[in-house]
Amino acid sequence: MSVLFEPLTIRGMTVPNRVVMSPMLMYMAGPDGTATDLHLVHYGARILGGVGMVMTEVIAVSPDGRISTSDLGLWEDGQIAGIARIAEFAHAHGAKAGVQLAHAGRKSTAQERIVAPSALPYSDFSVPHALEPDEIARIVEDYRAAAERAVRAGFDCLELHVAHGYLLHEFLSPIANTREDDYGGSIANRARIVFEVVAAIRDAIPESVPLFVRLSAEDVVPGGLTEEEATWVASRLVDAGVDLFDISTGNITPGYAGTVYPAYQADHARRLKDALGVATATVGSVSSPELADYLVSSGAVDLVFVGRALLRDPHWTLHAAKQAGIDLPLAIPTYARATGPYERGF
Ligand SMILES: Cc1cc2nc3c(=O)[nH]c(=O)nc-3n(C[C@H](O)[C@H](O)[C@H](O)COP(=O)(O)O)c2cc1C
């Protein structure tokens, strides 16, 4: 029984199917962080290709929070109109749209001065400035303001990036956080900024808007964040109003120390769902429609985030549906003339 093409309701949002385009930074924005026609066509192609939701690539909450100078931003009102077109296009074609908010922390290449929980460099990057408490408070406010702009832009859902070695994950991980104040040491302290950001965002967005967290379930390197700690953080975040955990792992240090195989991160998501009864999504090397369907149909996860397979084939979702014998409504009905019997005469 295929569940991949069944809708899912979270708060006020109903996603028409369980396939989400995973956030993927395309390095296509100008230095002003605004979205271009290329962004609209890039996301629009996957929307026409049948995904239930597109989750944007990382969108920086401040200029110094960009991974690169070609990142999108939501640190000022002038950046709203560009990305609003993506949400509008999704809605016009029956899909949903989410924004992934992030601060790159010590992995920013956008400027000379980079910031992090502690003055510990990532690989051969420059030594970051260890954030002062008042600077942390400023960043929390940047998240609040960016979240409010995302809602004004018409997005249905927000995702907070707490993985892949960017700022919020850096705070969680003892590898990047050796602070001795209220933001370091115990997992409760290391997670403090994440709790503050989630509280600020929930306060800034309507009750009906779901909040997802892309959470690193573990660092996969000795001395890093453990699954037990991540599960505790998630349990607190559920109480704070997080609706779904999009589970990833690794990248607090360069390279990936784990083993990669189809759906290699799904067990983490399933264990979190079992432990907390919370909605989860998996991501990572899910490129076969049968596997994607199995992951949701077996109850392991609620959504499947598909990354590179959707870069290779914008119509991945339509192809998956066809394989499952399901006719998704075509955004351009005339396309059906390419799949039925060949009609000559024009
Ligand atoms: C080009 C590219 C850009 C990415 N950018 C982001 C990003 O902006 N935010 C994020 O959380 N993950 C990012 N990722 C990771 C993907 O969202 C996804 O987790 C990863 O590629 C594994 O899924 P896949 O095997 O389906 O591609 C990126 C991956 C790729 C290939």
Side-chain angles (χ1 to χ4, degrees):
M1 186 53 193
S2 172
V3 176
L4 195 60
F5 296 99
E6 288 186 2
L8 176 73
T9 298
I10 304 179
R11 294 191 187 247
M13 174 180 83
T14 299
V15 191
N17 66 58
R18 312 302 183 90
V19 180
V20 178
M21 178 178 177
S22 198
M24 285 178 286
L25 176 55
M26 289 292 110
Y27 306 93
M28 301 191 303
D32 62 355
T34 56
T36 63
D37 286 355
L38 203 49
H39 290 98
L40 178 64
V41 174
H42 166 68
Y43 289 104
R46 279 75 198 174
I47 291 164
L48 295 183
V51 297
M53 172 158 73
V54 287
M55 185 63 75
T56 68
E57 61 202 89
V58 276
I59 296 198
V61 298
S62 60
D64 72 340
R66 290 174 297 174
I67 294 171
S68 77
T69 50
S70 308
D71 289 19
L72 292 170
L74 263 180
W75 62 81
E76 58 191 22
D77 285 358
Q79 293 161 330
I80 294 176
I83 61 160
R85 294 165 75 204
I86 299 167
E88 218 173 282
F89 191 83
H91 299 157
H93 299 290
K96 299 295 176 194
V99 153
Q100 189 189 52
L101 293 180
H103 187 299
R106 67 179 190 162
K107 281 173 81 174
S108 171
T109 62
Q111 66 285 305
E112 289 272 298
R113 182 181 183 273
I114 53 177
V115 302
S118 303
L120 298 167
Y122 174 79
S123 183
D124 58 357
F125 285 38
S126 41
V127 177
H129 162 72
L131 287 161
E132 299 293 341
D134 64 317
E135 293 171 312
I136 293 176
R138 176 72 253 159
I139 289 172
V140 172
E141 288 311 305
D142 288 341
Y143 273 101
R144 177 202 298 273
E148 191 268 323
R149 288 188 189 102
V151 171
R152 265 200 280 155
F155 283 84
D156 306 281
C157 171
L158 271 75
E159 176 168 281
L160 191 60
H161 199 348
V162 191
H164 303 173
Y166 299 112
L167 186 71
L168 296 180
H169 177 200
E170 288 162 17
F171 269 91
L172 286 188
S173 174
I175 295 199
N177 181 355
T178 54
R179 297 175 74 98
E180 292 179 352
D181 65 359
D182 288 351
Y183 292 93
S186 67
I187 184 61
N189 277 356
R190 282 183 275 133
R192 188 177 303 279
I193 186 174
V194 180
F195 299 147
E196 290 175 348
V197 167
V198 164
I201 292 179
R202 267 272 58 114
D203 185 51
I205 66 177
E207 188 72 28
S208 58
V209 174
L211 177 58
F212 294 3
V213 166
R214 172 161 279 197
L215 181 66
S216 186
E218 59 162 328
D219 280 347
V220 214
V221 284
L225 177 75
T226 65
E227 186 161 347
E228 194 186 350
E229 289 174 327
T231 304
W232 180 81
V233 172
S235 73
R236 293 287 310 271
L237 291 176
V238 170
D239 295 341
V242 169
D243 301 293
L244 179 142
F245 293 92
D246 159 22
I247 294 298
S248 195
T249 56
N251 296 128
I252 194 71
T253 50
Y256 186 75
T259 314
V260 174
Y261 51 89
Y264 61 101
Q265 298 179 129
D267 273 345
H268 291 290
R270 182 186 49 76
R271 281 197 291 274
L272 190 71
K273 192 174 168 64
D274 287 350
L276 306 182
V278 66
T280 60
T282 191
V283 65
S285 292
V286 181
S287 51
S288 118
E290 292 91 342
L291 179 57
D293 191 30
Y294 171 75
L295 290 165
V296 288
S297 299
S298 64
V301 296
D302 299 273
L303 294 173
V304 177
F305 279 49
V306 178
R308 291 160 304 146
L310 273 168
L311 292 187
R312 291 192 289 273
D313 175 11
H315 295 117
W316 185 91
T317 318
L318 289 177
H319 294 149
K322 196 160 183 61
Q323 212 169 301
I326 289 163
D327 280 326
L328 288 187
L330 290 171
I332 301 178
T334 310
Y335 281 9
R337 284 168 74 166
T339 51
Y342 185 32
E343 298 168 48
R344 286 295 307 267
F346 49 85

